[in-house]
Amino acid sequence: MWAISTMNILFSNHSLTNYRKSLSKSLAFVPTMGALHQGHLSLVEEAKKSCENVIVSIFVNPLQFNNPDDLNKYPRMIQKDLELLKHAGVNAVFLPSYETIYPPNQEFNIQLSNNSIESVFEGHFRPGHFNGVIQVLHRFFSLISPHEVYFGQKDLQQCMVVKILIDEYFKEIKFNIVETKRENSGLAMSSRNMRLTNDEINVANQIYQSLLLLKNEENYSQLACELEIKRLSILGLKTEYLNYVNLPNMEITSIKNGNQAIVYAGFLGNIRLIDNLLL
Ligand code: AMP
């Protein structure tokens, strides 16, 4: 274990367990894959409001990447991340190796019984993605035993999956969703944005404009979504999906009823971007 001033940096399960045992007050957990930005830090900020201690993990989880190129090119900048977390007043950072999370002699096959949303939208376009998310989070929650966990609305479907994981396996953990942090242009902050050129950022900004336009539509019609998909495609965005959905089940809808969202995913070149707005 290292300590940067008052921030503990934990590499092993052993140091994590010792750290956990040393705490008498509440602990919030914020899982991340690093390359941190203000969106991640807003989760830390919210976590600090309700818990005395905040632990952040940085682990690029290979199991949740269906595309090896995306995994290889995922930005990694650990020193900068640690500085940001220290500045944000985080108490501990968990930096496990692959073997620490997935010991070779153990099997990882946690399943949700309520699993219909695992195969739609993100699950459809990224086969196996949510299974990877479930394995890593089950492992983290078991090792860390946090009182609360914080996730970003940016990954809305992930939030719905985590809610089910908590309901089925970790009822004692309080689940929190933090709203999406955006650039002034409206572009949702993402670690992948740093791979975009300035011209591409101008195009990516249009995703938020489409979501806003659809949010203000009188009727939630698929035709309106199709028109926006067409507009974005002329700009160079290859949309995978743009739909009105009911929450929490992520079923496509055309009827306004309150607990709903518009969800987007698409490619700009080889960079995949997602966003959503609650309705
Ligand atoms: P990631 O490092 O991409 O796995 O994200 C770690 C956490 O940060 C997840 O709960 C994300 O939903 C959340 N997050 C990512 N981007 C944003 C953002 N722009 N605003 C708020 N939360 C975010």
Side-chain angles (χ1 to χ4, degrees):
M1 183 169 98
W2 298 350
I4 295 190
S5 71
T6 56
M7 189 170 79
N8 296 295
I9 303 184
L10 315 166
F11 296 99
S12 65
N13 289 340
H14 180 70
S15 54
L16 176 67
T17 309
N18 285 343
Y19 170 75
R20 186 67 190 88
K21 277 190 196 147
S22 74
L23 301 178
S24 55
K25 295 185 174 156
S26 59
L27 177 65
F29 172 45
V30 180
T32 82
M33 298 200 297
L36 303 178
H37 50 67
Q38 289 304 316
H40 296 109
L41 297 178
S42 69
L43 270 56
V44 169
E45 217 170 281
E46 287 306 308
K48 279 176 64 180
K49 286 183 192 161
S50 47
C51 288
E52 276 86 358
N53 300 286
V54 177
I55 183 166
V56 173
S57 63
I58 300 179
F59 179 64
V60 182
N61 175 32
L63 262 58
Q64 70 190 68
F65 283 79
N66 58 314
N67 176 347
D69 190 50
D70 191 24
L71 172 62
N72 290 335
K73 294 207 172 115
Y74 202 83
R76 291 160 171 93
M77 43 195 65
I78 197 69
Q79 284 307 332
K80 185 174 168 231
D81 288 349
L82 292 176
E83 284 302 323
L84 286 171
L85 293 175
K86 185 179 143 192
H87 192 71
V90 164
N91 307 86
V93 183
F94 185 37
L95 288 179
S97 66
Y98 180 84
E99 289 72 22
T100 297
I101 295 299
Y102 304 116
N105 52 348
Q106 257 174 262
E107 247 192 54
F108 296 92
N109 190 22
I110 300 296
Q111 300 293 327
L112 302 182
S113 44
N114 178 4
N115 61 8
S116 55
I117 70 165
E118 275 179 60
S119 52
V120 296
F121 294 104
E122 288 301 285
H124 175 77
F125 287 99
R126 303 183 68 187
H129 169 66
F130 286 122
N131 183 55
V133 169
I134 289 164
Q135 305 315 315
V136 79
L137 291 179
H138 187 278
R139 186 89 175 115
F140 275 139
F141 293 176
S142 306
L143 289 169
I144 296 173
S145 299
H147 297 96
E148 302 200 16
V149 290
Y150 286 78
F151 286 83
Q153 183 208 316
K154 161 88 181 351
D155 297 274
L156 184 63
Q157 191 175 358
Q158 171 171 275
C159 288
M160 302 301 126
V161 171
V162 177
K163 173 79 173 69
I164 298 170
L165 175 70
I166 288 180
D167 285 348
E168 294 190 5
Y169 289 91
F170 301 95
K171 283 204 168 55
E172 67 287 1
I173 297 180
K174 181 167 181 247
F175 173 61
N176 300 279
I177 300 179
V178 178
E179 76 178 68
T180 304
K181 239 335 196 227
R182 298 180 180 280
E183 306 288 354
N184 289 337
S185 63
L187 177 64
M189 291 183 183
S190 164
S191 306
R192 290 183 174 88
N193 293 353
M194 55 183 87
R195 294 173 54 203
L196 298 172
T197 64
N198 286 343
D199 285 348
E200 285 173 330
I201 286 175
N202 287 334
V203 174
N205 290 339
Q206 291 302 314
I207 296 170
Y208 182 63
Q209 296 308 320
S210 290
L211 293 175
L212 275 184
L213 185 141
L214 291 171
K215 181 174 177 161
N216 293 325
E217 284 284 309
E218 191 69 30
N219 299 306
Y220 291 169
S221 77
Q222 190 54 34
L223 179 63
C225 295
E226 295 301 332
L227 289 174
E228 282 311 296
I229 291 173
K230 182 89 195 143
R231 186 180 77 84
L232 294 174
S233 97
I234 292 166
L235 298 172
L237 273 155
K238 287 203 190 79
T239 298
E240 285 186 333
Y241 59 77
L242 177 59
N243 292 98
Y244 293 101
V245 296
N246 288 326
L247 297 176
N249 57 21
M250 304 281 301
E251 278 164 5
I252 295 178
T253 183
S254 54
I255 300 160
K256 281 189 190 185
N257 74 9
N259 189 21
Q260 294 171 315
I262 323 168
V263 291
Y264 176 87
F267 276 93
L268 192 48
N270 59 2
I271 298 166
R272 190 168 184 277
L273 300 169
I274 63 170
D275 200 354
N276 68 81
L277 279 185
L278 296 178
L279 296 170

